[in-house]
Amino acid sequence: MAGEKQTVDGIEALLSWAAQIGISDSSSPNSSSSGSCLGHSLFVSDFPDAGGRGLGAARELRRGEIVLRVPKAALFTTESVILDPEIASLMERHKHLSPIQRLIVCLLMEVNKGRSSKWYPYLSQLPRDYTTLSNFTVPEIKAFQVEDAIWAAEKAAEKTKSDWRGSLALLNELDLKPQLLNFRSWLWASQTVSSRTLHISWDEAGCLCPVGDLFNYDAPDELVLHEHDEVGVASKSCSLNCSVEAVNASNERLTDGGYEESSSSYCFYARRRYKQGGQVLLSYGTYTNLELLEHYGFLLPQNPNDKAFIKLEPDLYKITSYDIESLYIQPDGIPSFALLCALRLWSAPVSCRKNYMHLVLSGSQVSVQIELQVLNWLAKRCYETLQDLPTTIKVDKIVVNGIDALQRGKARIDFRDLGPALEEFKKFFEELNLKFENSESFVIDVMPIRIRKSLERWRLAVEWRLAYKSVLFKCFCYCKEQIDELSLS
Ligand SMILES: C[S@@+](CC[C@H](N)C(=O)[O-])C[C@H]1O[C@@H](n2cnc3c(N)ncnc32)[C@H](O)[C@@H]1O
């Protein structure tokens, strides 16, 4: 089961099993003679800077070239797991469960079979744990500091818990090993499904795709979109399944893999040209960093799709037809088009709003006076938001560096190095029942796994809030520059 170590032998066993069931990175029929499904286009490797274990280019890959094919029979779906009519009728009796709950139950059922599961080589190579939002503890959630992120994390945790409670009756009837009935097992299975399923048209829950789920993520961007246009890979359906909304909202051309009826297989394409040895990445969809953290458990240091939301006045929401989700600050600190339009309209006198509507929606300034009002309001809101948060950008950087030192295995942290970040460190370790034994430094000989895992999640929360604050700071500077320019003109 997934509790086993991810070893080189384990990966080789997975690739050899995958070759036997028809997974291939080559269009040539005799490609699996080497005993591995890979080697022609791809290879498995560790990419520490972008996702860890992933797939590299075994040779130069052209844009739009097919790099992996996974036949339907190799896809792990509710349908492909429930072949036993008794289990099928049991599932039928629990019709109220969502497709995702059913797939999670199927995953636990297969794990329960241990080595006798036909999916064993695949299941044994799944990660043992995840850093998705549902895994965050209360103190780790608090470390986000920003209300929206705290709310998203609490909601994710509650949803996972309530899905588990709702599935317990079925799980109890399935005669599973007791440890597979507990919440920890459910959490693991649900986060496996969240972070690894691919979209398929016949099951809303998606499918687990052996080997195909080894592709790490890169954000879709304009360049890739145009490249796709050029080579005509435009009609592939969609990639990782997790957020149906995100997939629907995004242009289908942003994706680089999909299930193809014509070959009854899941096909993956190179989204751009890759040099031999480079990591081949997949776009799972368009996600903000908070969404990536929620569904996949990581943050992209440079995410062109990230959004920073600030509190807006309630009457602003009333006068704009824009979706709330479109009212944000971009990673470069510039307000989104919709936010700027909404603020311009909101800043205009009520009696003039109707007349200005056309101008505003075309993206034009209404008047210098209104533009200055918008920029001043935005600068003030960013400034006040930053002031109201418990720590500054500077302190957050110290916290990240301190966590970094601990993660690198530094056993002694001098309190003087932590300065104003000391309080947060103290609180964090106290929550984990680790007391500071002296007043000058923190010494830890062997870092227990539970602390290492918690540090990882804490770091993600601090990195997220640091990025959020940096965007607000950039926005503040942007507004000030614009104000200066307008005042001079
Ligand atoms: C579909 S799996 C990809 C393969 C995965 N690295 C593995 O070893 O099984 C998705 C997971 O990979 C990791 N991941 C993918 N892309 C990443 C990236 N750009 N940066 C950091 N982690 C990434 C995250 O843990 C995510 O939940």
Side-chain angles (χ1 to χ4, degrees):
M1 87 153 246
E4 302 223 344
K5 268 209 175 105
Q6 290 176 4
T7 56
V8 175
D9 287 353
I11 276 290
E12 278 172 6
L14 168 67
L15 301 181
S16 146
W17 168 81
Q20 284 161 28
I21 57 173
I23 299 176
S24 176
D25 69 342
S26 161
S27 41
S28 134
N30 300 323
S31 59
S32 60
S33 55
S34 64
S36 169
C37 69
L38 301 184
H40 176 73
S41 306
L42 302 169
F43 66 96
V44 177
S45 189
D46 186 35
F47 298 93
D49 295 335
R53 186 180 60 175
L55 294 171
R59 57 183 170 82
E60 180 164 315
L61 300 175
R62 279 172 291 113
R63 273 186 329 217
E65 183 178 355
I66 188 155
V67 291
L68 185 70
R69 205 187 287 273
V70 181
K72 186 173 184 185
L75 302 177
F76 185 110
T77 62
T78 303
E79 185 188 78
S80 65
V81 170
I82 306 179
L83 298 172
D84 177 345
E86 237 179 83
I87 305 275
S89 80
L90 200 60
M91 281 269 193
E92 231 358 71
R93 291 215 302 274
H94 293 269
K95 261 198 184 127
H96 62 282
L97 297 185
S98 71
I100 291 180
Q101 281 171 300
R102 283 156 190 267
L103 185 59
I104 298 168
V105 170
C106 286
L107 182 54
L108 290 171
M109 268 165 46
E110 281 306 309
V111 168
N112 188 59
K113 292 183 189 163
R115 285 180 183 269
S116 66
S117 165
K118 77 171 212 189
W119 304 95
Y120 179 77
Y122 171 64
L123 299 177
S124 65
Q125 290 310 300
L126 289 171
R128 292 165 164 207
D129 45 51
Y130 298 95
T131 49
T132 43
L133 280 188
S134 299
N135 288 274
F136 280 56
T137 62
V138 173
E140 290 157 8
I141 290 177
K142 260 198 222 151
F144 281 106
Q145 295 182 348
V146 178
E147 227 175 83
D148 287 354
I150 291 176
W151 182 80
E154 287 174 348
K155 198 177 63 145
E158 272 164 31
K159 171 87 173 75
T160 311
K161 257 247 148 91
S162 82
D163 279 357
W164 169 65
R165 286 198 198 99
S167 310
L168 266 179
L170 172 60
L171 289 172
N172 277 313
E173 286 179 62
L174 285 169
D175 204 21
L176 303 180
K177 288 175 191 133
Q179 70 265 31
L180 293 176
L181 301 177
N182 65 30
F183 179 65
R184 273 184 69 83
S185 296
W186 181 269
L187 182 60
W188 170 81
S190 68
Q191 300 314 293
T192 301
V193 165
S194 167
S195 63
R196 307 185 81 84
T197 45
L198 295 164
H199 172 81
I200 45 174
S201 60
W202 66 93
D203 188 338
E204 233 181 83
C207 66
L208 289 167
C209 180
V211 187
D213 65 359
L214 291 176
F215 285 106
N216 285 320
Y217 175 85
D218 194 16
D221 54 32
E222 295 255 318
L223 181 71
V224 171
L225 186 64
H226 292 140
E227 285 176 350
H228 271 186
D229 283 347
E230 250 177 71
V231 289
V233 212
S235 60
K236 306 292 166 275
S237 57
C238 68
S239 40
L240 279 188
N241 196 47
C242 199
S243 163
V244 174
E245 306 89 86
V247 167
N248 288 342
S250 73
N251 186 321
E252 287 203 329
R253 289 184 298 179
L254 295 177
T255 61
D256 32 25
Y259 184 77
E260 293 180 9
E261 290 291 349
S262 56
S263 59
S264 299
S265 43
Y266 220 100
C267 300
F268 298 88
Y269 296 83
R271 65 204 303 230
R272 57 178 167 82
R273 192 169 71 83
Y274 287 100
K275 285 196 185 135
Q276 186 175 4
Q279 179 169 203
V280 181
L281 296 159
L282 186 76
S283 156
Y284 310 162
T286 306
Y287 293 100
T288 64
N289 266 350
L290 193 58
E291 288 164 341
L292 281 176
L293 200 49
E294 176 174 356
H295 303 301
Y296 302 104
F298 70 93
L299 302 169
L300 269 192
Q302 306 290 331
N303 183 356
N305 303 305
D306 205 14
K307 298 173 180 178
F309 293 95
I310 46 168
K311 232 182 218 142
L312 301 171
E313 304 303 333
D315 54 339
L316 182 143
Y317 295 115
K318 279 187 209 143
I319 59 155
T320 172
S321 55
Y322 287 113
D323 186 17
I324 293 183
E325 295 295 304
S326 64
L327 307 174
Y328 61 89
I329 301 168
Q330 299 171 174
D332 58 4
I334 298 177
S336 69
F337 180 82
L339 177 57
L340 197 56
C341 292
L343 285 172
R344 281 173 177 158
L345 201 60
W346 176 69
S347 303
V350 180
S351 57
C352 306
R353 280 182 191 158
K354 213 171 167 190
N355 292 343
Y356 290 157
M357 187 73 89
H358 190 68
L359 207 57
V360 165
L361 292 183
S362 70
S364 307
Q365 273 184 31
V366 176
S367 68
V368 170
Q369 193 202 347
I370 290 179
E371 201 64 7
L372 283 171
Q373 236 171 287
V374 165
L375 293 164
N376 275 311
W377 184 90
L378 196 52
K380 186 163 173 267
R381 181 49 49 100
C382 288
Y383 180 81
E384 286 171 353
T385 308
L386 287 170
Q387 289 289 307
D388 287 348
L389 291 169
T391 53
T392 61
I393 290 178
K394 193 172 155 200
V395 170
D396 290 352
K397 284 183 180 164
I398 301 173
V399 177
V400 172
N401 288 339
I403 299 174
D404 208 31
L406 287 170
Q407 285 184 318
R408 275 188 277 114
K410 196 169 172 203
R412 183 179 182 280
I413 299 254
D414 196 317
F415 284 174
R416 281 169 304 187
D417 295 340
L418 295 176
L422 179 60
E423 268 321 293
E424 189 165 348
F425 271 84
K426 278 191 170 167
K427 254 198 210 138
F428 180 80
F429 284 105
E430 273 165 22
E431 299 274 6
L432 292 165
N433 292 325
L434 282 176
K435 292 265 176 296
F436 285 88
E437 271 155 25
N438 69 53
S439 55
E440 284 162 17
S441 65
F442 172 67
V443 183
I444 189 160
D445 295 330
V446 185
M447 184 86 71
I449 287 187
R450 117 192 129 88
I451 311 241
R452 240 188 295 138
K453 299 276 165 209
S454 187
L455 274 176
E456 213 179 315
R457 294 187 295 265
W458 181 28
R459 184 197 176 114
L460 284 166
V462 179
E463 278 182 344
W464 182 88
R465 80 184 192 216
L466 176 56
Y468 175 83
K469 290 174 196 178
S470 304
V471 172
L472 263 54
F473 181 67
K474 278 188 209 162
C475 183
F476 173 81
C477 297
Y478 167 81
C479 291
K480 288 286 172 200
E481 271 170 31
Q482 297 290 307
I483 291 167
D484 287 349
E485 264 178 39
L486 278 176
S487 311
L488 287 177
S489 63

